[in-house]
Amino acid sequence: AAFGAGAGLVHVVAPIGAATTLRTAEPDLQVLEHAFEAPLDHALIALLHSADVVVIGPGLGRAVERRDFVLAVLGESARAVIDADALVALRDALPELSALAARKPLVLTPHLGEFRALFPGCSHSLETDPWGAAESAAAVVPGIVLLKGVPTVIAQHDQPTRTVAAETLTSHAPAAG
């Protein structure tokens, strides 16, 4: 997907033993193997410091040690997109996630189930008012919350909320108060 979006150089951090498979499937990938546990090794820290953006989550797995790994990766990254298993790993780490989002650009991309797990306090009106739910979540974690679904809602604290419905993008004014 990164190549398709126009990235010139793509690195993948993969589980131990997966490098050969990834290099065979996509020879242009740069692959670093890691155990997906904290503390991070020097090679991964150097890679994170050199990256323009980090995408974390897909293929990460849901082992209990992923929480500390995800927080360590986010701590070393300049900016990040947090998706899939990384969102699940952070379900009990909202204070840490909020602190990170206050210091660097973060984009969270939950679907409804991930949203409920990560933001239980913002989920009461999720099905009837996804805009309000996403806006509440963006107030809790001062980053961008892209709530996937129909419609897809993009909320950022103190910014107009966007809606992706079919092929158009529309604005939704934030709720007063």
Side-chain angles (χ1 to χ4, degrees), residues 71-96:
L71 289 171
V73 167
L74 295 175
E76 297 292 341
S77 303
R79 63 191 56 79
V81 176
I82 307 167
D83 190 35
D85 292 338
L87 293 166
V88 174
L90 295 172
R91 69 182 165 266
D92 296 322
L94 275 182
E96 296 93 332

Side-chain angles (χ1 to χ4, degrees), residues 47-121:
L47 178 60
L48 294 169
H49 288 182
S50 71
D52 293 327
V53 67
V54 170
V55 178
I56 185 165
L60 188 61
R62 296 189 175 185
V64 295
E65 59 270 6
R66 296 305 182 262
R67 177 185 187 273
D68 292 338
F69 175 74
V70 171
L71 289 171
V73 167
L74 295 175
E76 297 292 341
S77 303
R79 63 191 56 79
V81 176
I82 307 167
D83 190 35
D85 292 338
L87 293 166
V88 174
L90 295 172
R91 69 182 165 266
D92 296 322
L94 275 182
E96 296 93 332
L97 183 57
S98 293
L100 286 165
R103 297 191 325 260
K104 61 184 73 185
L106 297 179
V107 178
L108 291 77
T109 62
H111 57 59
L112 295 177
E114 293 161 343
F115 188 95
R116 279 188 205 93
L118 188 58
F119 299 108

